[in-house]
Amino acid sequence: MFDHLPRASLATLPTPLEAADRPHNAGPALWIKRDDLTGLGGGGNKARKLEFLCGEAVAEDAKSLVTVGAAQSNHCRMTAAAGSRLGLEVHLILSGDAPVADDALTGNQLLSKMFGAQMHYTGAAESHWGELEIAREALTDELAAQGMRPSSIPIGGSTVTGALGYAVAFVELIEQCATAGFVPRAVVFTSSSGGTHAGLLAGRAAMIADGRLDRDSAPDIVAIGVAKGVNLGYPDIAGLADSVLEVMQVDAVIDGDDVEVDARWLGEDYGARTDAATAAIDWAARSGGWLMDPTYSGKGLSGLLGQVAEGRWNRDDHVVFIHTGGWPALFA
């Protein structure tokens, strides 16, 4: 399903699948899929997307990468690392204002600078994604005029090409679960720009189509929405997943009823702290030494723990949480 597609070798795969303590006595067995350990530039889920995005860029003879994100964007940090690995110039469009000096850089911005990226600050608010994307398109045009042959990547790398990374991840995960002796009842993860979600749905549909998963026992794909757009249904996750399946050359379509986004854990906005995320971050740190951040993975885990407390799953179920990374933001 993937061998015909250009792909750069960037991630350390497969990532581990670790057993966690039951968060509730009557609740399910919980497993953590450690996609914070993908290796590239501090790890995180974007490494999987960048393998296909950068593979495409190299195949098209790009000389530079351009992408966009919040001030402490994990995706931007990992794109910077991918560029350093592949010898491509990297330009990052970021929210917020430039720091007064380079020695004031913290977290993901400090790491992006270490990887050699050029950072362009827009002054935009973190949640103003449209404004950031306009700036990305303008810089892409400018670099193209200079002969830099830019490969321009939207926020989160959530294109059809990027989402392929999580179709691969789903197959990898199900094979690990089989080795451990179970089929998960649900796969839970954090979602903002929709690419991880679409990829997981495509991977699930592909495994059902080729008979490796039974439709009735296939795991639910449960997104915890941490951005207003995905919580309101943007982008069209089912449509994006269908496009991924087409690129994979798999004869299957996504049922709209399979697209589940729990929007209750966002808080006031993207990046805004919540008490539930803080509690989930503390639980992860004390239960397994897992580091999660308050913008992304911490909110995702808070949604899973909240659904456990509500009794969605029983003691006989196995639930997997995909830890998508984000720990460098803790140092900001």
Side-chain angles (χ1 to χ4, degrees):
M1 294 184 288
F2 308 103
D3 289 348
H4 63 290
L5 299 166
R7 184 177 180 182
S9 179
L10 296 173
T12 303
L13 302 176
T15 57
L17 179 66
E18 298 179 354
D21 292 338
R22 290 180 187 269
H24 191 283
N25 284 339
L30 178 59
W31 300 77
I32 309 293
K33 174 64 168 164
R34 296 292 306 276
D35 272 14
D36 59 317
L37 299 180
T38 52
L40 178 70
N45 65 326
K46 308 304 181 184
R48 293 186 185 270
K49 297 180 179 182
L50 286 163
E51 287 206 326
F52 289 96
L53 290 163
C54 291
E56 185 175 77
V58 170
E60 295 174 352
D61 198 27
K63 293 175 64 177
S64 60
L65 301 173
V66 182
T67 198
V68 58
Q72 286 295 328
S73 167
N74 296 300
H75 167 66
C76 285
R77 178 250 306 168
M78 296 193 70
T79 303
S84 69
R85 178 86 67 87
L86 298 171
L88 298 172
E89 185 175 286
V90 176
H91 293 264
L92 307 178
I93 303 291
L94 299 173
S95 66
D97 299 320
V100 293
D102 280 354
D103 61 6
L105 293 172
T106 61
N108 282 319
Q109 288 189 28
L110 173 60
L111 295 175
S112 294
K113 186 73 174 180
M114 290 171 61
F115 295 136
Q118 298 182 43
M119 291 181 279
H120 307 263
Y121 296 90
T122 62
E126 287 200 348
S127 59
H128 290 185
W129 288 6
E131 186 176 346
L132 292 169
E133 289 287 14
I134 290 170
R136 175 182 62 82
E137 291 170 1
L139 180 60
T140 299
D141 291 342
E142 181 182 331
L143 291 170
Q146 296 171 7
M148 288 302 299
R149 295 200 298 274
S151 179
S152 194
I153 302 171
I155 199 160
S158 294
T159 65
V160 173
T161 301
L164 285 163
Y166 268 86
V168 175
F170 184 84
V171 176
E172 176 184 302
L173 170 61
I174 294 302
E175 290 174 348
Q176 288 177 310
C177 293
T179 299
F182 69 92
V183 176
R185 185 70 225 103
V187 176
V188 185
F189 59 98
T190 316
S191 181
S192 59
S193 55
T196 299
H197 194 175
L200 290 169
L201 285 171
R204 177 180 182 268
M207 292 193 77
I208 292 171
D210 71 8
R212 284 189 282 171
L213 267 182
D214 179 73
R215 169 77 192 185
D216 293 336
S217 61
D220 296 332
I221 305 298
V222 183
I224 307 299
V226 298
K228 288 182 177 178
V230 74
N231 286 347
L232 293 172
Y234 306 106
D236 175 5
I237 300 296
L240 182 57
D242 282 338
S243 296
V244 175
L245 287 166
E246 184 177 349
V247 171
M248 292 167 61
Q249 302 176 355
V250 173
D251 185 15
V253 294
I254 301 300
D255 186 334
D257 291 340
D258 288 337
V259 179
E260 178 180 352
V261 180
D262 187 342
R264 297 175 294 164
W265 310 94
L266 168 65
E268 293 182 3
D269 206 344
Y270 181 82
R273 290 176 179 268
T274 66
D275 291 342
T278 298
I281 290 166
D282 288 345
W283 181 89
R286 294 171 184 174
S287 296
W290 300 299
L291 295 175
M292 300 191 186
D293 74 289
T295 296
Y296 207 77
S297 55
K299 284 186 179 179
L301 183 63
S302 75
L304 184 152
L305 295 176
Q307 291 198 24
V308 168
E310 292 166 355
R312 173 168 180 171
W313 302 291
N314 62 44
R315 192 171 175 83
D316 294 330
D317 292 330
H318 293 260
V319 174
V320 176
F321 179 69
I322 300 180
H323 183 351
T324 44
W327 64 264
L330 289 171
F331 298 104

